[in-house]
Amino acid sequence: MEAMEEERNEKKVLCEKIIRDINAVFLKDQDLASFEIIPKETNCNKSPVVHVEHNLGLESWCAQHVYDHAHRTLISHRRQSSQQQLRTLQQQQQSDVLAKYLNVALLINPDVTTFWHIRRQLVQKNRLSINKELQFSALVLSIKPKSNEAFAYRRWLYSFQSADAIDWPNEIGICERAADRCASNYHAWSHRQWILQSGPCLLQSELLRTEKFMRKHISDYSCYHYRQVLLGRAYELCFALPTDPGPNCPSPLASLQQLLANYGLKGADKAEDMLELLLPKMDRNAVSSQRLRSFLYCCNVAASDMRLCAEQQAMYGPRDCFELHRRAALKFIVEQCVRLEAGMGAAHSVTADDLQAHLRQLDFESHPFLAAVRREESALGAKHRRWCNLHLSFGYPAD
């Protein structure tokens, strides 16, 4: 029994020393960029805490012991009465000790909601600064890119700041690094959608960045879905880039022009010609010029994505993500044509059932673009025809 007690005490002393070493790194280096657990099975009689050029590491042989010790300490704090917990939070020295254990516990296991809640209490008591907490949560995401708790904590921290004070491009960068390190990172892309809704207009840069990401991560459908949300947001905000290119620049609507040519609708070299094909029955006076510019711009982006999916498929072979994203881009173009011609605009009150009802009543032969789409898409197989019938009401005969 005495030997076991002595061993427990030795382990406790060792864990306290390691936690102090980690805390010393936090105090010394205000620009820590990453944390890693370093695979090492045995103790080599030196500190397992490694600090190199703003990167922090902990050898794996001690990680579980250190985490268990920090976990016990923090849970004992939570088991105190509310008044005792409040006294601890109000005392700077006690709060610093608490934060020291929280740092270690959350770096090793960031999925414990209770520990993030304690950090929130410390922030509310002004024991932890918001800027340092943003840096700490980014450090957590360097080792656990799919940590929903870390992303939720960042959104909570930003609730105390005005939109003008937030470095939105940096936040986008954190999301992109997390998604880059971990495929199908739902939490990173959801956080990026929150940025898109909350931050200033980042649409142009996001359209460029997501295209690069799709080319690099060809099977990560989370990015394709975000791209669809991004396109819908651009259309909702009437976003469009200037349509007057320089003398040596390609046409800003080249992808849409090529798509129309692929469907057998050639000769649409100007924006007016394209509008005549896409919206033949629309009253131009009923729609603003900015809405029409945005319509053409967003359709051009969707057409570019359809071409990208075809290129990717030719290079890497058939994949579900290519087919699904191509369909989503096609559906976007068709739906926006129907919305504008039916006078629906971009209203949120228009439901999918309303669009389907209008499509079912549409005379496709009187609409050159939709007739061409219906004709050409039928050649892509029975499965695709069933999808077109279900989502676009093309009315193909049952196979």
Side-chain angles (χ1 to χ4, degrees):
M1 285 293 291
E2 289 183 4
M4 290 178 62
E5 186 65 29
E6 185 176 345
E7 184 180 349
R8 277 197 296 269
N9 287 335
E10 287 179 359
K11 189 181 292 185
K12 181 178 178 181
V13 170
L14 177 61
C15 289
E16 283 290 340
K17 181 183 183 306
I18 293 170
I19 290 172
R20 282 198 304 273
D21 289 347
I22 293 174
N23 190 55
V25 173
F26 272 93
L27 294 174
K28 175 184 176 183
D29 190 345
Q30 303 296 317
D31 299 312
L32 283 174
S34 71
F35 173 76
E36 293 290 342
I37 299 293
I38 303 169
K40 198 160 191 179
E41 299 302 321
T42 57
N43 181 5
C44 298
N45 292 322
K46 63 178 184 179
S47 175
V49 179
V50 180
H51 178 219
V52 179
E53 294 181 354
H54 306 306
N55 301 298
L56 175 62
L58 181 66
E59 293 177 359
S60 59
W61 65 265
C62 69
Q64 187 63 54
H65 303 300
V66 171
Y67 175 76
D68 290 343
H69 178 68
H71 185 277
R72 280 193 297 270
T73 304
L74 293 167
I75 293 301
S76 65
H77 163 75
R78 290 294 290 174
R79 286 175 177 166
Q80 293 175 344
S81 67
S82 298
Q83 289 185 341
Q84 288 175 315
Q85 290 185 40
L86 184 60
R87 281 198 294 271
T88 300
L89 295 171
Q90 288 176 336
Q91 295 174 8
Q92 184 66 55
Q93 187 174 0
Q94 293 292 328
S95 296
D96 290 344
V97 171
L98 206 57
K100 178 176 68 174
Y101 290 110
L102 284 169
N103 290 345
V104 174
L106 286 171
L107 283 174
I108 298 173
N109 180 14
D111 294 328
V112 184
T113 305
T114 299
F115 296 164
W116 289 105
H117 181 61
I118 297 174
R119 291 195 87 95
R120 286 182 173 91
Q121 290 178 321
L122 289 170
V123 170
Q124 289 172 329
K125 296 295 180 183
N126 293 321
R127 298 305 180 205
L128 293 173
S129 76
I130 289 177
N131 287 339
K132 287 186 178 180
E133 286 304 279
L134 289 168
Q135 182 188 10
F136 174 77
S137 57
L139 192 63
V140 169
L141 289 168
S142 71
I143 189 172
K144 188 71 181 293
K146 278 190 172 181
S147 176
N148 182 46
E149 296 291 345
F151 282 118
Y153 187 57
R154 293 184 72 82
R155 290 192 292 274
W156 180 80
L157 290 169
Y158 282 133
S159 69
F160 297 98
Q161 296 184 331
S162 67
D164 295 337
I166 298 172
D167 187 351
W168 296 110
N170 176 67
E171 199 67 15
I172 289 284
I174 288 172
C175 293
E176 188 151 324
R177 286 191 293 275
D180 198 37
R181 296 190 61 180
C182 197
S184 300
N185 193 337
Y186 171 81
H187 301 302
W189 290 106
S190 295
H191 188 69
R192 198 160 173 168
Q193 284 189 40
W194 171 81
I195 296 169
L196 193 63
Q197 296 291 333
S198 307
C201 188
L202 301 165
L203 292 169
Q204 183 178 355
S205 61
E206 280 295 84
L207 286 166
L208 292 171
R209 295 178 78 151
T210 49
E211 182 180 345
K212 290 179 181 178
F213 196 95
M214 287 193 300
R215 291 182 182 278
K216 180 179 179 183
H217 301 270
I218 59 172
S219 296
D220 193 339
Y221 192 71
S222 293
C223 179
Y224 291 90
H225 178 261
Y226 175 77
R227 177 85 167 180
Q228 293 157 26
V229 172
L230 186 62
L231 186 56
R233 180 68 171 165
Y235 187 70
E236 177 190 333
L237 297 177
C238 275
F239 177 79
L241 292 178
T243 56
D244 183 23
N248 298 320
C249 297
S251 168
L253 300 174
S255 295
L256 183 56
Q257 184 180 357
Q258 183 60 52
L259 180 68
L260 292 172
N262 292 343
Y263 283 134
L265 302 171
K266 298 181 180 179
D269 299 327
K270 299 180 180 179
E272 283 296 320
D273 300 331
M274 295 181 192
L275 286 173
E276 196 62 41
L277 288 172
L278 295 167
L279 306 169
K281 297 180 180 180
M282 192 196 69
D283 180 7
R284 303 283 181 85
N285 296 324
V287 182
S288 70
S289 59
Q290 182 60 31
R291 165 53 66 206
L292 292 176
R293 280 196 296 271
S294 179
F295 166 75
L296 287 175
Y297 174 79
C298 292
C299 286
N300 185 71
V301 173
S304 175
D305 283 8
M306 291 175 69
R307 188 187 69 230
L308 174 62
C309 289
E311 291 172 355
Q312 300 278 68
Q313 185 161 319
M315 187 177 298
Y316 301 108
R319 300 195 184 208
D320 286 345
C321 54
F322 301 153
E323 183 179 9
L324 292 171
H325 189 61
R326 183 190 181 278
R327 287 175 175 175
L330 175 64
K331 185 170 183 279
F332 175 85
I333 296 173
V334 171
E335 285 189 347
Q336 303 322 317
C337 289
V338 172
R339 280 175 181 268
L340 283 177
E341 286 226 319
M344 298 176 183
H348 296 291
S349 58
V350 178
T351 65
D353 290 338
D354 295 331
L355 285 168
Q356 288 291 319
H358 191 80
L359 276 165
R360 283 192 292 269
Q361 298 169 6
L362 190 68
D363 179 11
F364 286 96
E365 295 309 314
S366 67
H367 195 296
F369 172 70
L370 294 181
V373 171
R374 186 172 180 272
R375 182 181 62 250
E376 297 298 324
E377 293 294 315
S378 67
L380 298 181
K383 180 182 175 183
H384 186 66
R385 287 194 292 272
R386 287 194 296 272
W387 178 86
C388 289
N389 282 343
L390 180 62
H391 294 281
L392 302 178
S393 298
F394 274 4
Y396 294 127
D399 293 294

